[in-house]
Amino acid sequence: MEKKNKNALTIVCLLFFSILADSNAQQEDFDVRNYLSTVSRYGVVKNVANGTFEPSDVPNGCTPIHLNLVARHGTRAPTKKRMRDLDRLAAHLKELVRDAKEQGLSLEEIPAWLQGWESPWKDKVKGGELIIKGEEELYDFGVRTREKFASLFNESYHPDIYTIKATQIPRASASAVAYGMGLFSGTGTLGPGRKRAFAVVSESRASDTMLRFHDCCQNYKDFRKSQEPSVDKLKEPIFDEITHSLIGRYKLNFTRQDASSLWFLCKQEASLLDITDQACGLFSPSEVAMLEWTDDLEAFILKGYGNSINYRMGVPLLKDILQSMEQAIRAKEGIVGCDRK
């Protein structure tokens, strides 16, 4: 076990230095909004120069007969727990500035915004909701889907033909509605925009094994709880190094928790508010790349295919997708299309 842990640490270190070298090479055109991990907006396409992205097309001789889409909700507000974390950060930043003043330290190196900063979500009692930008993301996604696969939407609407499912999490169901509004825009009779009503189906949160399976799997909950301390341990060296750099640059006695909270604030400001020169401005481009890497590392271990339970609990969803594909193929038997091997 000890040897295995050492090997894992070696891999982590190699990846860390790879990320550092890559980020140093890309600092000239740096945009922090391309480095926000799962907080990134739908429109972010990393490492693709403007105008060079070429979307895939349906091959010649092939006709699409069926479409499956599994999508994440759009950009959302911080949750209540995260908003409380930001309130605590605001209080602690005030303490740090006050301590610096009492010690007679110069405040010239402390960014002006940080002195007296208050969370934009202060006094909010609810959180986690889909914001307007998130609505627009999913609406535009629906419009693009219809344009890309126009032939799939020739039939009159029926909920058994155009099935839209969402979890009972409000931001997810709101995303499904926004997507459907884009998908069916201009096809109905409601209002000047010719909207149409459509169904969004949800399973109970306690038994949603297809879209909310991580909430229904106790083995996964136990696995995640057991792995979180080791994940935090892997992230510690990076946060320690960045915390040390923050202290050196701004002469405030930041803690590792401060660095983590400031990184979270950076992601929220950049993604939700398009503010990139406050919390994000505290970090260098290479540090941002390393911080995003810690997010990706956590997602890989706790949610990705690094452990079999992470994908085995998604089997009901995969089974449902495959069955729907088989049904579509059987319904089109006898119609000339792509060769099926």
Side-chain angles (χ1 to χ4, degrees):
M1 181 61 71
E2 183 180 353
K3 183 177 180 181
K4 183 177 180 180
N5 289 338
K6 287 182 178 179
N7 289 338
L9 183 59
T10 300
I11 294 173
V12 168
C13 289
L14 289 173
L15 288 171
F16 168 81
F17 288 118
S18 175
I19 290 289
L20 181 61
D22 183 63
S23 65
N24 285 337
Q26 300 179 10
Q27 288 189 21
E28 291 184 4
D29 300 320
F30 183 81
D31 186 341
V32 69
R33 285 166 293 198
N34 294 333
Y35 294 83
L36 304 182
S37 192
T38 59
V39 186
S40 300
R41 290 177 178 173
Y42 262 78
V44 171
V45 182
K46 187 186 290 187
N47 297 329
V48 176
N50 292 334
T52 63
F53 176 71
E54 297 183 5
S56 59
D57 292 319
V58 177
N60 291 331
C62 290
T63 302
I65 63 171
H66 180 69
L67 174 66
N68 274 301
L69 169 68
V70 180
R72 190 174 184 267
H73 59 74
T75 301
R76 63 171 174 84
T79 61
K80 289 188 292 185
K81 177 180 180 297
R82 285 300 203 170
M83 288 191 295
R84 290 195 295 269
D85 290 342
L86 291 177
D87 287 339
R88 284 192 287 270
L89 173 65
H92 192 228
L93 290 178
K94 290 178 182 177
E95 291 179 5
L96 293 178
V97 173
R98 185 178 65 247
D99 291 344
K101 290 179 179 178
E102 291 176 352
Q103 296 173 27
L105 300 178
S106 172
L107 302 184
E108 292 181 0
E109 297 183 63
I110 301 176
W113 71 267
L114 190 147
Q115 303 179 44
W117 177 80
E118 297 282 358
S119 169
W121 300 277
K122 182 182 179 182
D123 298 328
K124 283 194 64 176
V125 296
K126 297 184 182 297
E129 75 278 8
L130 192 71
I131 66 171
I132 292 176
K133 181 63 182 178
E135 294 178 11
E136 294 171 348
E137 289 170 337
L138 271 296
Y139 178 85
D140 293 341
F141 194 2
V143 171
R144 293 198 305 273
T145 301
R146 188 180 186 91
E147 292 175 348
K148 180 75 173 179
F149 301 101
S151 63
L152 292 179
F153 299 93
N154 292 329
E155 294 187 54
S156 298
Y157 173 80
H158 190 282
D160 290 341
I161 298 175
Y162 305 108
T163 303
I164 300 179
K165 298 180 180 180
T167 69
Q168 289 189 341
I169 305 301
R171 56 181 171 268
S173 56
S175 294
V177 171
Y179 178 80
M181 291 177 68
L183 192 66
F184 302 118
S185 61
T187 65
T189 60
L190 303 176
R194 295 179 57 222
K195 309 295 184 185
R196 72 150 303 115
F198 55 90
V200 176
V201 181
S202 295
E203 296 288 339
S204 167
R205 291 178 65 172
S207 57
D208 191 350
T209 59
M210 282 199 291
L211 296 180
R212 194 81 183 168
F213 39 75
H214 57 280
D215 264 357
C216 306
C217 181
Q218 186 59 48
N219 287 339
Y220 171 71
K221 292 179 181 179
D222 294 340
F223 159 76
R224 177 165 182 153
K225 186 175 181 180
S226 69
Q227 291 296 307
E228 284 176 345
S230 60
V231 171
D232 290 340
K233 200 72 176 175
L234 289 173
K235 292 161 58 175
E236 276 183 13
I238 292 177
F239 275 100
D240 285 344
E241 179 179 339
I242 292 176
T243 302
H244 180 74
S245 296
L246 291 175
I247 294 172
R249 280 199 294 270
Y250 306 111
K251 312 308 178 187
L252 294 176
N253 194 24
F254 290 115
T255 65
R256 185 192 303 152
Q257 181 57 54
D258 291 331
S260 177
S261 296
L262 287 168
W263 169 234
F264 175 76
L265 174 60
C266 163
K267 291 185 289 186
Q268 299 303 299
E269 287 185 336
S271 182
L272 278 66
L273 307 175
D274 275 320
I275 297 174
T276 60
D277 58 353
Q278 290 192 169
C280 295
L282 297 176
F283 305 104
S284 68
S286 61
E287 288 169 347
V288 167
M290 290 188 288
L291 288 166
E292 186 194 34
W293 179 80
T294 64
D295 289 343
D296 292 343
L297 173 68
E298 179 176 332
F300 174 74
I301 296 176
L302 300 182
K303 300 178 183 179
Y305 55 85
N307 189 285
S308 64
I309 194 172
N310 291 348
Y311 56 81
R312 288 172 61 192
M313 63 180 174
V315 167
L317 173 60
L318 178 60
K319 183 178 180 181
D320 180 74
I321 292 173
L322 293 176
Q323 286 178 341
S324 68
M325 293 169 66
E326 289 292 340
Q327 290 171 1
I329 292 170
R330 288 196 297 270
K332 292 292 183 179
E333 282 182 349
I335 298 178
V336 177
C338 295
D339 289 336
R340 180 165 166 252
K341 297 180 180 180

